[in-house]
Every structure is written in C-alpha cells, then in structure tokens.
Amino acid sequence: MDSQANSDSRLSVPFSKGIFFRLILLLITSLLTVCAPSEQSNLGVKDFEGISLEGETIRISDIAADRIALNVYGPNCLPCVKEIPVLNYLNTELKKTPHIKLYMIVDPDIFFDNPEALSTEQKMKEAAVLMKEEVKKFGIQLPVLIMKPPFKVDRIEGLVTGTPETLLFKTKPLILYYNFIGPISEESDPNKIPKNMKVIFFKRMAGQS
C-alpha cells in the first residue's frame, strides 16, 4: 500500500508543481498590483497642513522637496523626549540635502484632557504656546508644525496611532512610503549617534546616501 501511495504521488508531482508555480505567479502579480505606486495622494495626506510656531501656515503637499519626513511628537511622551538628540542630529544632517525636509508635527488635541470642549482655533493657539515651552525645555531644533484637522493621532482610526512615529513621504504625488513606529533611536551620545545603525538606516530610507 505504501509503495502504491508513493508511486501515485510521484506521478502527480509534475501536475502539482504546475499548479504550485501558477499560484506563485498569480500571487506575485497580485502583490505587484497592490504595491504599485499610486498616481494619487493617499490616506488623506494631501489635506494635511499645520501652523508653524512663527504663525506660518504650511501645507505638506506644497513643501518644495522630493522627500518629506514628519516626526510626530507628543507631550508627556518619554520616548519622544529621548529621541530628541537624534532628531536634532538628523535635522542638521538633512539640511545638507535640500531635497529632503524634516519637520516635527503635533496633534493639538493631545495637549488637552477634553479637546472637544475647545474650538480648533483655541486648540491651535494654546497648543502653540505649550509647544514653545517644550521646545525651550528640551532643546528641540526641528521646525515644528501644529497640525490642523483632518490630521489626528488616533489609536483606532488614525494614520498615526501613537507617539513618537516618523512618516516618510515621496512627493509628486505625495505618498507615504515608510513609517518608523516608536523612536528612530534613543542614543544620546553625540559621538555615537552618527554611527548608530538605526540612524544610518533612517538616513538611507529618507534618501540621503
């Protein structure tokens, strides 16, 4: 019986291989279709805009750069604070590459216990004041944007579910292509930061060789 079973299975191998390879080809084709670059801005990012701490309105899709990195910061977020030395280093480094722009962005709602009780204008204004204190306290050197709706940090439905998180975009059209969940690195030694493998990986992903 065993011999017969083995014989039958040997006879069916070419047929099974044919089906297997057809399925693999179909799967690869499907993946390529899903992963192909979109011709449209995705996930609502074309509507993202914020106000700088100097009061300038900046629309993300209007930023003149080939790549854009947005680091999402939150108050009372220890990993966000620990990441600041690396972000300051990256800010200096990426300025050497004009086609890459790095910003720190903030959802004003996370500054308040009951954000729904305030108007968008009130939240934007008060969050800017509070964020200026954060910048001074922690020595943040990145340009900061207080984001307007529809941007939102939301654990369930948001593009960003927590802080810190860093989003990498290609432009023309504006498309999210990578996100770093959690701090890029918490290395604080200025001599070690340039050699940190996570930092080096981020720079490569951001488009700096």
Side-chain angles (χ1 to χ4, degrees), residues 7 20 29 39 46-47 58 60 62-63 78 86 104 123 130-131 141 160 181 191:
S7 175
F20 175 76
T29 303
E39 294 299 325
K46 62 182 177 59
D47 299 320
I58 296 178
I60 303 304
D62 291 339
I63 295 173
L78 185 58
V86 163
M104 178 178 283
K123 288 186 287 188
L130 294 170
M131 195 61 205
Q141 297 173 12
V160 178
I181 298 175
N191 296 316

Side-chain angles (χ1 to χ4, degrees), residues 86-95 102 141-143:
V86 163
L87 292 174
N88 286 342
Y89 164 79
L90 289 170
N91 182 57
T92 299
E93 283 294 296
L94 295 180
K95 282 182 179 178
L102 172 63
Q141 297 173 12
L142 287 71

Side-chain angles (χ1 to χ4, degrees), residues 53 70-85 87-88 103-111 127 130-147 151-153 160 162-167 182:
L53 299 185
L70 302 179
N71 175 263
V72 188
Y73 179 88
N76 303 314
C77 166
L78 185 58
C80 295
V81 174
K82 288 185 175 181
E83 188 183 29
I84 290 172
L87 292 174
N88 286 342
Y103 291 85
M104 178 178 283
I105 63 173
V106 182
D107 175 4
D109 282 11
I110 61 180
F111 278 97
L130 294 170
M131 195 61 205
K132 286 179 181 178
E133 295 176 2
E134 298 273 311
V135 167
K136 184 177 180 180
K137 181 178 179 180
F138 298 117
I140 298 169
Q141 297 173 12
L142 287 71
V144 177
L145 300 178
I146 309 298
M147 300 299 287
F151 178 84
K152 186 175 180 60
V153 177
V160 178
T163 58
E165 186 167 335
T166 304
L167 312 174

Side-chain angles (χ1 to χ4, degrees), residues 5 17 30 32 36 55-56 61 66 69 92 96 98 118 145-146 176 190 207:
K17 282 186 177 180
S30 299
L32 288 174
E56 180 186 4
S61 59
D66 295 329
T92 299
K96 301 173 185 177
L118 301 172
L145 300 178
I146 309 298
L176 175 68

